[in-house]
Structures are given as structure tokens and as C-alpha cells.
Amino acid sequence: MDNLIKNNGIVLLVIIGLPGLFAWSLTIINRQTKANLVNHYGINSQVYCGFLGIIIRELSHLILALIFRHGIQSVRLLKRPHLHPEDESADDLALGYVNHTWNRHSRYQVIGNLFIGVAPIFGCTAALLGLDWLLAPGLFQAIFKLADTPEQPQWLQVFTR
């Protein structure tokens, strides 16, 4: 019985804990990076420096929303944020968006919200791997060699061929 509890705890940690920690770390890094850009170069610097990432992020949300059959109301892959310091109107700080609706009685569509929310983690990873494959094939091969045999760190041999 103790073994069962221990094994289930490890599985939960690997399935929920590690991805959660990874997502939390990315969120902290993202917020700090955006704050540094805005403080040093202005609010629109986020768009100028990160336009490709913003587009990939919104496309990731859009693709998963379509897969989970959500109703797409509007999409904007890239936009400049707007501050309204002169009046009381709300600031619009979004860099892009996918407005969608879903059937709250459909488990498939409700569960889809989780996947739509984390889609940029996988979309951006896929985009980076695609760029590696295109621009740095040796790095691409090394990444997959390391993932295939993490206990045998001979993946550096890919670079020496």
C-alpha cells in the first residue's frame, strides 16, 4: 500500500508538478522581461522585439480552440497596446487575442480550455524546434539525441561529425 501511494505521488509530481513549475517559471521570466522592455524602451517595444513570439502564441491558442470546436468570435494575432493616461477609460494592454466561446455543457469543450491556455508552451517549443531543424540541424539532432538517451550524455558527438 505504501508503494502504491509513493508511486502515485511520483506520477502526480511528474504529470502536474513539473509542468506547473515550468509554466510558473516561464510566467515569472516573461513578466520580468516585459517590465524591463517597457521601462527602458516604452510600451510598444514589446511588439517590436517580440512580434514573432506573439503571433506564434496567438496561433497556438487559435489552433487549439479550433481543435476543441470552440466558436471563434474574433482574432488579432498582433496589436499595439494602448494606455489611456488622460482619461479614466480602461487600458488595453493586450498584444494579441483570440476571443472564443464554448458550450459549458460539453466536457470536451470545457476541458479544451485547459489545453487552449497552455497551447503557447507547445506551440513556441514546436516553432523553436522547427527553426533549429531549418537553421541548426546539428543542434536539432543533439536535442533529440539527448531526449532519446538522457542517461548517456554522448549527444555532443552530433556536433563533431
Side-chain angles (χ1 to χ4, degrees):
M1 185 65 169
D2 287 339
N3 233 4
L4 180 67
I5 293 172
K6 180 181 174 184
N7 287 341
N8 284 339
I10 291 170
V11 168
L12 285 175
L13 176 67
V14 169
I15 291 175
I16 297 172
L18 291 178
L21 180 65
F22 184 65
W24 176 76
S25 299
L26 286 176
T27 301
I28 298 299
I29 291 168
N30 180 41
R31 286 181 183 162
Q32 189 60 47
T33 302
K34 285 171 65 173
N36 286 340
L37 274 173
V38 169
N39 289 338
H40 288 91
Y41 303 108
I43 194 163
N44 289 321
S45 64
Q46 301 171 85
V47 175
Y48 304 140
C49 294
F51 69 93
L52 187 57
I54 296 165
I55 292 170
I56 292 169
R57 172 190 170 90
E58 298 308 327
L59 280 173
S60 300
H61 288 306
L62 177 62
I63 290 167
L64 267 286
L66 291 170
I67 288 172
F68 283 95
R69 297 190 315 244
H70 284 212
I72 306 301
Q73 303 301 307
S74 60
V75 175
R76 185 119 181 235
L77 297 179
L78 188 65
K79 67 180 270 316
R80 291 173 52 189
H82 298 285
L83 292 173
H84 298 86
E86 62 278 345
D87 58 17
E88 302 266 333
S89 62
D91 294 337
D92 180 11
L93 302 178
L95 302 173
Y97 57 82
V98 176
N99 289 328
H100 58 97
T101 60
W102 64 95
N103 180 352
R104 297 186 192 285
H105 301 293
S106 166
R107 276 195 181 140
Y108 181 71
Q109 289 188 3
V110 171
I111 290 171
N113 282 324
L114 170 67
F115 291 98
I116 293 166
V118 298
I121 294 172
F122 302 104
C124 291
T125 300
L128 288 173
L129 284 174
L131 283 173
D132 285 345
W133 175 76
L134 185 66
L135 302 174
L139 177 61
F140 179 79
Q141 291 173 357
I143 289 169
F144 278 91
K145 181 75 170 174
L146 177 61
D148 189 37
T149 56
E151 70 282 349
Q152 301 168 351
Q154 293 143 359
W155 55 274
L156 286 172
Q157 293 172 353
V158 174
F159 289 112
T160 59
R161 289 184 187 164

Short mmCIF file of all heavy atoms in Angstrom, two decimals, residues 30 37 44-61 76-79 95-96 120 123-132 134-135:
data_model
loop_
_atom_site.label_atom_id
_atom_site.label_comp_id
_atom_site.label_asym_id
_atom_site.label_seq_id
_atom_site.Cartn_x
_atom_site.Cartn_y
_atom_site.Cartn_z
N ASN A 30 8.75 35.85 -18.21
CA ASN A 30 8.03 36.66 -19.19
C ASN A 30 7.64 38.01 -18.60
O ASN A 30 7.83 39.06 -19.23
CB ASN A 30 6.80 35.90 -19.67
CG ASN A 30 6.01 36.67 -20.69
OD1 ASN A 30 6.57 37.31 -21.56
ND2 ASN A 30 4.69 36.62 -20.58
N LEU A 37 11.56 45.68 -20.75
CA LEU A 37 11.39 46.31 -22.06
C LEU A 37 10.58 47.60 -21.96
O LEU A 37 10.97 48.64 -22.52
CB LEU A 37 10.68 45.35 -23.02
CG LEU A 37 11.54 44.35 -23.78
CD1 LEU A 37 10.66 43.36 -24.54
CD2 LEU A 37 12.49 45.06 -24.72
N ASN A 44 5.46 50.03 -26.58
CA ASN A 44 5.41 49.35 -27.89
C ASN A 44 6.63 48.49 -28.17
O ASN A 44 6.64 47.73 -29.14
CB ASN A 44 5.20 50.36 -29.00
CG ASN A 44 3.80 50.93 -28.97
OD1 ASN A 44 2.84 50.23 -28.71
ND2 ASN A 44 3.69 52.23 -29.20
N SER A 45 7.67 48.59 -27.35
CA SER A 45 8.86 47.77 -27.57
C SER A 45 8.55 46.28 -27.47
O SER A 45 9.23 45.47 -28.10
CB SER A 45 9.95 48.14 -26.56
OG SER A 45 9.52 47.85 -25.23
N GLN A 46 7.52 45.91 -26.71
CA GLN A 46 7.12 44.51 -26.61
C GLN A 46 6.74 43.96 -27.98
O GLN A 46 7.06 42.82 -28.32
CB GLN A 46 5.91 44.36 -25.69
CG GLN A 46 6.13 44.85 -24.29
CD GLN A 46 4.82 44.86 -23.55
OE1 GLN A 46 4.43 43.85 -23.01
NE2 GLN A 46 4.15 46.00 -23.52
N VAL A 47 6.06 44.78 -28.76
CA VAL A 47 5.63 44.36 -30.09
C VAL A 47 6.82 44.31 -31.04
O VAL A 47 6.99 43.35 -31.80
CB VAL A 47 4.54 45.30 -30.65
CG1 VAL A 47 4.17 44.96 -32.08
CG2 VAL A 47 3.32 45.27 -29.76
N TYR A 48 7.68 45.32 -30.99
CA TYR A 48 8.81 45.39 -31.91
C TYR A 48 9.80 44.25 -31.66
O TYR A 48 10.34 43.69 -32.61
CB TYR A 48 9.53 46.73 -31.79
CG TYR A 48 8.63 47.92 -32.01
CD1 TYR A 48 8.76 49.06 -31.24
CD2 TYR A 48 7.63 47.90 -32.98
CE1 TYR A 48 7.93 50.16 -31.44
CE2 TYR A 48 6.80 48.98 -33.18
CZ TYR A 48 6.96 50.11 -32.41
OH TYR A 48 6.15 51.17 -32.60
N CYS A 49 10.03 43.91 -30.41
CA CYS A 49 11.00 42.86 -30.08
C CYS A 49 10.40 41.46 -30.10
O CYS A 49 11.12 40.49 -30.31
CB CYS A 49 11.62 43.12 -28.71
SG CYS A 49 12.61 44.60 -28.64
N GLY A 50 9.13 41.35 -29.87
CA GLY A 50 8.55 40.02 -29.71
C GLY A 50 7.43 39.68 -30.66
O GLY A 50 6.63 38.78 -30.39
N PHE A 51 7.35 40.37 -31.81
CA PHE A 51 6.21 40.17 -32.71
C PHE A 51 6.06 38.73 -33.16
O PHE A 51 4.96 38.20 -33.22
CB PHE A 51 6.27 41.12 -33.91
CG PHE A 51 7.36 40.83 -34.89
CD1 PHE A 51 7.12 40.02 -35.98
CD2 PHE A 51 8.63 41.35 -34.70
CE1 PHE A 51 8.13 39.74 -36.88
CE2 PHE A 51 9.64 41.07 -35.59
CZ PHE A 51 9.40 40.26 -36.68
N LEU A 52 7.16 38.06 -33.46
CA LEU A 52 7.07 36.68 -33.93
C LEU A 52 6.53 35.76 -32.83
O LEU A 52 5.66 34.91 -33.07
CB LEU A 52 8.44 36.19 -34.42
CG LEU A 52 8.46 34.83 -35.09
CD1 LEU A 52 7.52 34.78 -36.28
CD2 LEU A 52 9.88 34.50 -35.51
N GLY A 53 7.01 35.95 -31.61
CA GLY A 53 6.52 35.15 -30.48
C GLY A 53 5.05 35.41 -30.18
O GLY A 53 4.31 34.48 -29.84
N ILE A 54 4.62 36.65 -30.32
CA ILE A 54 3.22 37.00 -30.08
C ILE A 54 2.33 36.31 -31.10
O ILE A 54 1.30 35.72 -30.76
CB ILE A 54 3.02 38.54 -30.12
CG1 ILE A 54 3.80 39.21 -29.00
CG2 ILE A 54 1.54 38.88 -30.03
CD1 ILE A 54 3.95 40.72 -29.16
N ILE A 55 2.75 36.34 -32.36
CA ILE A 55 1.97 35.69 -33.42
C ILE A 55 1.89 34.19 -33.19
O ILE A 55 0.82 33.59 -33.29
CB ILE A 55 2.57 36.03 -34.80
CG1 ILE A 55 2.37 37.52 -35.11
CG2 ILE A 55 1.96 35.16 -35.89
CD1 ILE A 55 3.12 38.02 -36.32
N ILE A 56 3.02 33.57 -32.86
CA ILE A 56 3.03 32.12 -32.59
C ILE A 56 2.14 31.80 -31.40
O ILE A 56 1.40 30.82 -31.41
CB ILE A 56 4.47 31.61 -32.38
CG1 ILE A 56 5.25 31.71 -33.69
CG2 ILE A 56 4.48 30.18 -31.85
CD1 ILE A 56 6.74 31.49 -33.54
N ARG A 57 2.19 32.63 -30.37
CA ARG A 57 1.36 32.41 -29.18
C ARG A 57 -0.12 32.43 -29.54
O ARG A 57 -0.87 31.52 -29.18
CB ARG A 57 1.68 33.49 -28.14
CG ARG A 57 0.76 33.50 -26.96
CD ARG A 57 0.98 34.76 -26.11
NE ARG A 57 -0.04 34.90 -25.12
CZ ARG A 57 0.03 34.40 -23.89
NH1 ARG A 57 1.07 33.70 -23.52
NH2 ARG A 57 -0.95 34.59 -23.05
N GLU A 58 -0.54 33.45 -30.27
CA GLU A 58 -1.95 33.57 -30.61
C GLU A 58 -2.39 32.48 -31.58
O GLU A 58 -3.51 31.97 -31.48
CB GLU A 58 -2.26 34.97 -31.16
CG GLU A 58 -2.00 36.10 -30.18
CD GLU A 58 -2.66 35.93 -28.83
OE1 GLU A 58 -3.76 35.35 -28.74
OE2 GLU A 58 -2.07 36.39 -27.83
N LEU A 59 -1.51 32.11 -32.51
CA LEU A 59 -1.84 31.00 -33.40
C LEU A 59 -2.00 29.69 -32.64
O LEU A 59 -2.85 28.87 -32.97
CB LEU A 59 -0.76 30.85 -34.48
CG LEU A 59 -0.83 31.81 -35.66
CD1 LEU A 59 0.39 31.66 -36.56
CD2 LEU A 59 -2.11 31.61 -36.45
N SER A 60 -1.19 29.49 -31.61
CA SER A 60 -1.30 28.29 -30.77
C SER A 60 -2.67 28.25 -30.09
O SER A 60 -3.33 27.21 -30.09
CB SER A 60 -0.20 28.28 -29.71
OG SER A 60 1.07 28.27 -30.28
N HIS A 61 -3.08 29.37 -29.52
CA HIS A 61 -4.41 29.44 -28.90
C HIS A 61 -5.49 29.16 -29.95
O HIS A 61 -6.42 28.39 -29.70
CB HIS A 61 -4.66 30.82 -28.31
CG HIS A 61 -3.90 31.12 -27.06
ND1 HIS A 61 -3.91 30.32 -25.94
CD2 HIS A 61 -3.11 32.18 -26.75
CE1 HIS A 61 -3.17 30.87 -25.00
NE2 HIS A 61 -2.66 32.00 -25.46
N ARG A 76 -6.97 38.53 -33.31
CA ARG A 76 -5.99 39.56 -33.69
C ARG A 76 -4.63 39.02 -33.29
O ARG A 76 -4.33 38.90 -32.10
CB ARG A 76 -6.30 40.88 -32.97
CG ARG A 76 -5.43 42.01 -33.40
CD ARG A 76 -6.25 43.13 -34.01
NE ARG A 76 -5.38 44.21 -34.43
CZ ARG A 76 -5.52 45.46 -34.05
NH1 ARG A 76 -6.50 45.79 -33.26
NH2 ARG A 76 -4.69 46.37 -34.49
N LEU A 77 -3.83 38.63 -34.28
CA LEU A 77 -2.56 37.99 -34.00
C LEU A 77 -1.52 38.95 -33.44
O LEU A 77 -0.60 38.53 -32.74
CB LEU A 77 -2.01 37.31 -35.26
CG LEU A 77 -2.86 36.17 -35.82
CD1 LEU A 77 -2.23 35.60 -37.08
CD2 LEU A 77 -3.08 35.09 -34.78
N LEU A 78 -1.65 40.23 -33.74
CA LEU A 78 -0.68 41.21 -33.28
C LEU A 78 -1.35 42.57 -33.18
O LEU A 78 -2.05 42.99 -34.11
CB LEU A 78 0.49 41.28 -34.28
CG LEU A 78 1.70 42.10 -33.90
CD1 LEU A 78 2.40 41.51 -32.68
CD2 LEU A 78 2.67 42.17 -35.06
N LYS A 79 -1.16 43.25 -32.06
CA LYS A 79 -1.68 44.61 -31.92
C LYS A 79 -0.81 45.39 -30.95
O LYS A 79 -0.16 44.82 -30.08
CB LYS A 79 -3.14 44.62 -31.48
CG LYS A 79 -3.41 44.09 -30.10
CD LYS A 79 -4.89 44.13 -29.75
CE LYS A 79 -5.38 45.37 -29.10
NZ LYS A 79 -4.64 46.00 -28.05
N LEU A 95 -1.47 42.26 -26.45
CA LEU A 95 -0.59 42.29 -27.62
C LEU A 95 -1.17 41.47 -28.77
O LEU A 95 -0.66 41.49 -29.87
CB LEU A 95 0.79 41.75 -27.24
CG LEU A 95 1.50 42.50 -26.11
CD1 LEU A 95 2.77 41.78 -25.71
CD2 LEU A 95 1.78 43.93 -26.50
N GLY A 96 -2.24 40.75 -28.49
CA GLY A 96 -2.95 39.93 -29.45
C GLY A 96 -4.04 39.21 -28.69
O GLY A 96 -4.04 39.20 -27.46
N PRO A 120 0.49 27.83 -25.97
CA PRO A 120 1.73 28.50 -26.38
C PRO A 120 3.01 27.80 -25.91
O PRO A 120 4.03 27.91 -26.58
CB PRO A 120 1.61 29.89 -25.72
CG PRO A 120 0.14 30.10 -25.63
CD PRO A 120 -0.44 28.75 -25.31
N GLY A 123 3.28 25.31 -28.70
CA GLY A 123 3.43 25.98 -29.99
C GLY A 123 4.78 26.66 -30.14
O GLY A 123 5.43 26.54 -31.19
N CYS A 124 5.22 27.35 -29.11
CA CYS A 124 6.52 28.02 -29.17
C CYS A 124 7.66 27.00 -29.18
O CYS A 124 8.66 27.20 -29.87
CB CYS A 124 6.68 29.00 -28.00
SG CYS A 124 5.57 30.42 -28.15
N THR A 125 7.51 25.91 -28.42
CA THR A 125 8.52 24.86 -28.44
C THR A 125 8.62 24.25 -29.84
O THR A 125 9.72 24.05 -30.36
CB THR A 125 8.18 23.76 -27.41
OG1 THR A 125 8.13 24.35 -26.12
CG2 THR A 125 9.21 22.65 -27.44
N ALA A 126 7.48 23.98 -30.47
CA ALA A 126 7.48 23.42 -31.82
C ALA A 126 8.11 24.41 -32.81
O ALA A 126 8.87 24.00 -33.70
CB ALA A 126 6.06 23.08 -32.25
N ALA A 127 7.82 25.69 -32.65
CA ALA A 127 8.40 26.69 -33.55
C ALA A 127 9.92 26.76 -33.38
O ALA A 127 10.66 26.84 -34.38
CB ALA A 127 7.78 28.07 -33.28
N LEU A 128 10.40 26.70 -32.15
CA LEU A 128 11.85 26.72 -31.91
C LEU A 128 12.52 25.47 -32.47
O LEU A 128 13.60 25.55 -33.06
CB LEU A 128 12.14 26.86 -30.42
CG LEU A 128 11.86 28.24 -29.83
CD1 LEU A 128 12.02 28.21 -28.31
CD2 LEU A 128 12.77 29.29 -30.44
N LEU A 129 11.88 24.31 -32.29
CA LEU A 129 12.44 23.08 -32.86
C LEU A 129 12.46 23.15 -34.38
O LEU A 129 13.41 22.70 -35.02
CB LEU A 129 11.65 21.87 -32.39
CG LEU A 129 11.93 21.41 -30.96
CD1 LEU A 129 10.97 20.28 -30.57
CD2 LEU A 129 13.37 20.97 -30.80
N GLY A 130 11.41 23.73 -34.97
CA GLY A 130 11.38 23.90 -36.42
C GLY A 130 12.49 24.80 -36.91
O GLY A 130 13.14 24.52 -37.93
N LEU A 131 12.74 25.89 -36.19
CA LEU A 131 13.84 26.78 -36.56
C LEU A 131 15.19 26.09 -36.40
O LEU A 131 16.10 26.28 -37.22
CB LEU A 131 13.78 28.06 -35.73
CG LEU A 131 12.73 29.07 -36.15
CD1 LEU A 131 12.65 30.22 -35.14
CD2 LEU A 131 13.00 29.61 -37.54
N ASP A 132 15.33 25.30 -35.33
CA ASP A 132 16.57 24.52 -35.16
C ASP A 132 16.78 23.56 -36.32
O ASP A 132 17.88 23.44 -36.84
CB ASP A 132 16.53 23.72 -33.85
CG ASP A 132 16.75 24.58 -32.62
OD1 ASP A 132 17.21 25.73 -32.78
OD2 ASP A 132 16.46 24.11 -31.51
N LEU A 134 15.69 23.82 -39.31
CA LEU A 134 15.98 24.57 -40.53
C LEU A 134 17.35 25.25 -40.50
O LEU A 134 18.11 25.18 -41.46
CB LEU A 134 14.88 25.63 -40.75
CG LEU A 134 14.94 26.44 -42.03
CD1 LEU A 134 14.69 25.53 -43.23
CD2 LEU A 134 13.90 27.55 -41.98
N LEU A 135 17.68 25.90 -39.38
CA LEU A 135 18.87 26.74 -39.31
C LEU A 135 20.07 26.09 -38.62
O LEU A 135 21.21 26.50 -38.87
CB LEU A 135 18.53 28.05 -38.58
CG LEU A 135 17.40 28.88 -39.22
CD1 LEU A 135 17.06 30.07 -38.35
CD2 LEU A 135 17.80 29.32 -40.62
#
